[in-house]
Amino acid sequence: MAEWRIRSRTPADDDRVRAINAANVPEVGPLDEERLALFAEAAPHFDVVEVDGVVVGLFVGLAEGMPYASPNYRWFVDRHERFAYVDRIALEPEARGIGVADELYARVEAWASETGRLVVCAEVNVEPPNPRSMRFHERRGYAAVGELAPYGTDERVAMVEKQVPSAT
């Protein structure tokens, strides 16, 4: 595997970002133009992963206070005054299993700690199941704190959280 790096997303990345996101549905939600624009404008973390100059992954990390209608995000808004939220991580197959996801999560966890957000939140598909993601989150210290059927269908997600220490 070639060297990889993480950097902030730019508008020039958007075609690859949309393609990678689409290839990872249903593990991540769809990425329409409105959502892409919201992330580009307001997400504290909208990063891409590059290998040899080619974008092979994306990461979106949010915080409280965003005008984001996602029922999963809103669930955490109702639960926490301040938090960091992993909205999505999507990787091409060649970028999996090499430490990229761990580095992306380590970055958002450090940012949360440094900014006084003592909990990092995410969700993992339970139906359809995503056991790889659940194992990853459990290994990083995330625990399920609830379950939600966000769209009134058979789709269900486990709401997971990790407490992080304050860096201040």
Side-chain angles (χ1 to χ4, degrees):
M1 179 72 191
E3 292 285 318
W4 55 269
R5 73 180 184 119
I6 298 167
R7 64 169 175 79
S8 294
R9 166 244 159 234
T10 69
D13 300 320
D14 288 352
D15 286 344
R16 286 290 300 148
V17 163
R18 282 189 288 272
I20 293 165
N21 193 93
N24 280 270
V25 172
E27 288 84 8
V28 297
L31 185 61
D32 59 23
E33 290 303 316
E34 182 179 331
R35 190 166 290 177
L36 180 67
L38 173 66
F39 293 159
E41 179 181 323
H45 297 271
F46 191 177
D47 300 319
V48 295
V49 179
E50 266 187 354
V51 173
D52 296 331
V54 176
V55 174
V56 297
L58 70 121
F59 178 87
V60 178
L62 309 176
E64 74 286 336
M66 292 188 61
Y68 187 30
S70 160
N72 299 332
Y73 174 79
R74 304 300 325 158
W75 192 86
F76 289 114
V77 166
D78 291 342
R79 189 174 166 87
H80 300 290
E81 187 174 317
R82 288 179 56 80
F83 63 96
Y85 173 71
V86 176
D87 184 77
R88 68 192 63 218
I89 180 172
L91 301 170
E92 294 281 5
E94 67 268 20
R96 294 180 184 150
I98 60 170
V100 172
D102 275 315
E103 178 64 23
L104 289 163
Y105 267 72
R107 286 174 176 225
V108 79
E109 290 165 8
W111 174 81
S113 178
E114 292 161 6
T115 59
R117 292 170 173 89
L118 303 183
V119 63
V120 180
C121 308
E123 72 275 342
V124 178
N125 285 2
V126 175
E127 194 58 49
N130 190 344
R132 181 181 70 214
S133 180
M134 188 59 80
R135 283 191 306 273
F136 170 83
H137 284 88
E138 289 171 348
R139 181 176 55 76
R140 289 205 56 88
Y142 288 78
V145 294
E147 197 168 292
L148 190 63
Y151 303 105
T153 64
D154 290 340
E155 180 182 306
R156 289 191 345 259
V157 294
M159 310 308 273
V160 299
E161 297 180 351
K162 178 181 180 177
Q163 303 298 314
V164 295
S166 175
T168 57

